[in-house]
Amino acid sequence: MYVQELEPVADSLGLSALVAALPLVVVLVLLGGVRMKAHLAGLTGLLAAALVARLAYGMPVGQTLSSAAQGAVFGLFPILWIVVNALWVYRMTVRTRHFDILRRSFGRLSDDPRIQALVVAFCFGALLEALAGFGAPVAICSVMLVALGFDPVRAAVVALVANTAPVAFGAMGTPVVTLAQVTGLPLDSVASVVGRQTPLLALVVPLVLVGLVDGRRGLRETWVPALVCGVAFAAAQFTVSNYLSAQLADIAAALAGAAALGAVPRARVPATESVRASVLTGTRSEDLDERDPRREVLRAYAPYALIVVIFSVAQIPVVKDWLAGATRTFDWPFLDVVGPGGKPVGGNVFTLPIVATGGTLVLIAGVCTAVVLGVHARVAVQEWLATVHELRFAILTVTSVLALAYVMNLSGQAATIGQFVAAAGAGLAFLSPVLGWFGVAVSGSDTSANALFGALQVSAAKESGLSPELLAAANSSGGVLGKMISPQNLTIACAAVGLAGREGDLLRKVLPWSLGLLLVMCLIVGGQSSPVLSWMLP
């Protein structure tokens, strides 16, 4: 049995916290300062965490390795199991050219570039974030906007800023699922609080987007459709994350936002030539004028409809219970850890949701998609294997970061840092989103930031008397605002629109929005920790 200690270094909480923070410092410095590849930085940080666990905390080598193995397995299943299958569905639509049909369909919804930005970057980008995440929305939406005639820089900035509100529930809820796992908090509780924070961003972001596209004129002429889109998105994200399923929150929000936008008469009014001439300064793709058969358009939308239907059916109580029957729970081998008070920690037990997990449901949707799109079984398998190959470095990054997080959590390093950080007292709530923002800005992933700092936020909350669910959620909600300035996302955006080497230009354009919205989130969380906005919490 290994008993966690909070002050193993010279019986000093400050020195112990300093040593415990070394793995995080190593990762952040290697990523942000040295510009090392994310997977290499993750592996180096894991080594640092293992050394601190053994040399400073006295955790046996066997239990340290077992902790890392459990984190890596959780990274593979269910986290990457979701991402791989979701991206596989997208690759099949590209292979059959139905993604091009979908792009042309969006282009015909409105000829107003400000409305097109909302449809493509905000609504469809949110749907892509819901299904795949990990940079896919920025890359795909940037390319689509350029094809519609947007200047490459403007297209990239719009796609980056739009990729905020849906991030916490992206990749079929992967960030909040990870957050719940590493903190030991119930998924429904964490998702519920996040669902009372990020929807407030959704009210603002569409207005920001039309302003980015066409300045004050854009706000003056299209604020009504932008606001209606944001309200519908926010309402759906709040409702579904609180009362239905975290995995479906972004899918429902994206569809609700798009439907509401289509219902506003102002959104269908043709844009004036002066607007189009001033906004669309790029080259419009000629294939937008092609007319696609109605049957093919329906098939292009089918993969997303299948995912919505399958996930909705999976939430029916009878079906949900039947799927949960395949879940297996067992004691993790070579791991016996208790907290300072002698109570066993949650990491001793591992839950394997074989069927009742987002990745398996997306896999089923993918098989159905292959049938609907006419993809041969051999080609579908080839595309799945190609997806794994494409994500090989992301797989290594996620597994190493989660292994690092598990070693820090189970050895007691996160608890030590949390107790030290708790000295911030009531101000901790205001500052907690900043930690998530910083983690995502460096790592490029809300999932990774939650794995790194989730347990730390909960530990600090307990020590300072704040709600653990509130600070855990704040880590994820603050993190979504760091995504637009992360080096990985900036590089993806530049590569997608042919602006390689101009990441600095994009950073200067999106940084003020990132910081401004972060301040808003800090005020929201600070208010929710006080009587002012405490009524917002479940």
Side-chain angles (χ1 to χ4, degrees):
M1 180 183 294
Y2 168 69
V3 181
Q4 294 177 342
E5 288 185 65
L6 297 182
E7 302 177 359
V9 181
D11 293 325
S12 168
L13 181 61
L15 288 175
S16 298
L18 187 63
V19 172
L22 284 176
L24 297 178
V25 172
V26 167
V27 173
L28 297 179
V29 169
L30 291 179
L31 280 173
V34 181
R35 303 283 183 127
M36 181 181 284
K37 297 288 186 182
H39 63 282
L40 296 177
L43 290 170
T44 307
L46 172 59
L47 176 60
L51 290 173
V52 171
R54 180 70 190 100
L55 300 178
Y57 282 77
M59 190 178 199
V61 174
Q63 299 219 43
T64 301
L65 294 175
S66 184
S67 302
Q70 184 179 163
V73 169
F74 177 70
L76 290 171
F77 192 95
I79 301 303
L80 288 163
W81 181 236
I82 298 172
V83 177
V84 168
N85 290 326
L87 201 55
W88 172 54
V89 173
Y90 163 71
R91 285 182 64 99
M92 285 193 289
T93 66
V94 173
R95 177 72 176 250
T96 59
R97 298 189 179 279
H98 282 89
F99 182 76
D100 291 333
I101 295 174
L102 190 68
R103 175 169 57 82
R104 288 193 287 270
S105 174
F106 286 161
R108 286 191 290 270
L109 290 176
S110 172
D111 73 342
D112 190 325
R114 299 163 299 190
I115 302 302
Q116 290 175 340
L118 294 176
V119 172
V120 174
F122 188 69
C123 297
F124 187 61
L127 186 61
L128 290 174
E129 182 67 39
L131 300 178
F134 290 87
V138 170
I140 295 167
C141 292
S142 296
V143 171
M144 290 179 72
L145 290 174
V146 169
L148 290 170
F150 278 68
D151 170 75
V153 172
R154 182 175 289 168
V157 170
V158 168
L160 285 166
V161 175
N163 191 220
T164 49
V167 168
F169 295 104
M172 309 310 296
T174 296
V176 290
V177 169
T178 303
L179 186 61
Q181 180 71 19
V182 300
T183 59
L185 298 173
L187 174 59
D188 291 344
S189 299
V190 173
S192 179
V193 180
V194 174
R196 294 162 192 251
Q197 295 171 344
T198 56
L200 298 176
L201 292 176
L203 299 175
V204 179
V205 172
L207 296 170
V208 173
L209 293 179
V210 296
L212 285 171
V213 172
D214 195 28
R216 293 181 179 178
R217 180 179 60 182
L219 276 172
R220 186 175 63 253
E221 296 181 358
T222 58
W223 70 269
V224 172
L227 186 60
V228 169
C229 178
V231 169
F233 186 104
Q237 191 181 61
F238 162 75
T239 302
V240 176
S241 63
N242 274 267
Y243 305 111
L244 185 57
S245 165
Q247 287 88 347
L248 285 175
D250 276 351
I251 294 177
L255 296 177
L261 190 60
V264 178
R266 178 66 189 83
R268 298 190 296 274
V269 176
T272 62
E273 284 302 319
S274 63
V275 169
R276 293 181 58 80
S278 62
V279 175
L280 301 180
T281 55
T283 303
R284 184 175 180 273
S285 177
E286 294 181 358
D287 75 343
L288 289 174
D289 297 323
E290 291 184 23
R291 287 292 171 181
D292 300 300
R294 185 177 181 83
R295 179 171 178 271
E296 294 305 310
V297 173
L298 292 175
R299 291 175 73 190
Y301 282 91
Y304 310 102
L306 285 167
I307 289 176
V308 173
V309 170
I310 289 172
F311 270 82
S312 298
V313 170
Q315 299 306 313
I316 299 173
V318 175
V319 178
K320 191 173 184 178
D321 292 341
W322 179 73
L323 293 174
T327 299
R328 297 290 178 264
T329 301
F330 55 89
D331 292 333
W332 189 260
F334 312 113
L335 197 61
D336 186 11
V337 181
V338 297
K343 183 179 179 181
V345 300
N348 295 330
V349 177
F350 190 78
T351 301
L352 191 65
I354 300 173
V355 182
T357 183
T360 302
L361 296 178
V362 175
L363 178 66
I364 295 171
V367 173
C368 296
T369 295
V371 174
V372 171
L373 299 185
V375 180
H376 191 278
R378 175 178 52 80
V379 175
V381 172
Q382 288 176 348
E383 287 296 328
W384 193 91
L385 293 175
T387 303
V388 174
H389 182 264
E390 179 184 338
L391 291 174
R392 62 192 183 282
F393 293 120
I395 291 171
L396 191 53
T397 299
V398 172
T399 52
S400 62
V401 167
L402 279 161
L404 181 158
Y406 268 60
V407 170
M408 290 190 66
N409 294 344
L410 292 174
S411 66
Q413 296 173 55
T416 297
I417 300 173
Q419 190 173 48
F420 181 76
V421 172
L428 180 61
F430 179 84
L431 295 173
S432 59
V434 178
L435 192 59
W437 173 85
F438 184 68
V440 176
V442 172
S443 70
S445 165
D446 202 35
T447 299
S448 296
N450 285 343
L452 288 172
F453 300 129
L456 187 156
Q457 297 265 24
V458 168
S459 179
K462 291 177 179 177
E463 292 295 330
S464 59
L466 295 170
S467 164
E469 289 82 3
L470 174 62
L471 262 61
N475 193 83
S476 192
S477 298
V480 306
L481 300 169
K483 190 128 185 177
M484 69 177 83
I485 64 168
S486 71
Q488 292 90 323
N489 250 22
L490 291 170
T491 301
I492 288 171
C494 284
V497 297
L499 296 174
R502 295 185 60 183
E503 289 84 357
D505 294 341
L506 291 187
L507 177 61
R508 284 189 290 273
K509 290 181 178 295
V510 299
L511 182 59
W513 295 108
S514 179
L515 294 175
L517 292 173
L518 174 64
L519 177 59
V520 172
M521 183 55 65
C522 289
L523 292 171
I524 291 171
V525 176
Q528 290 177 333
S529 70
S530 70
V532 178
L533 295 179
S534 60
W535 53 269
M536 292 181 64
L537 299 179

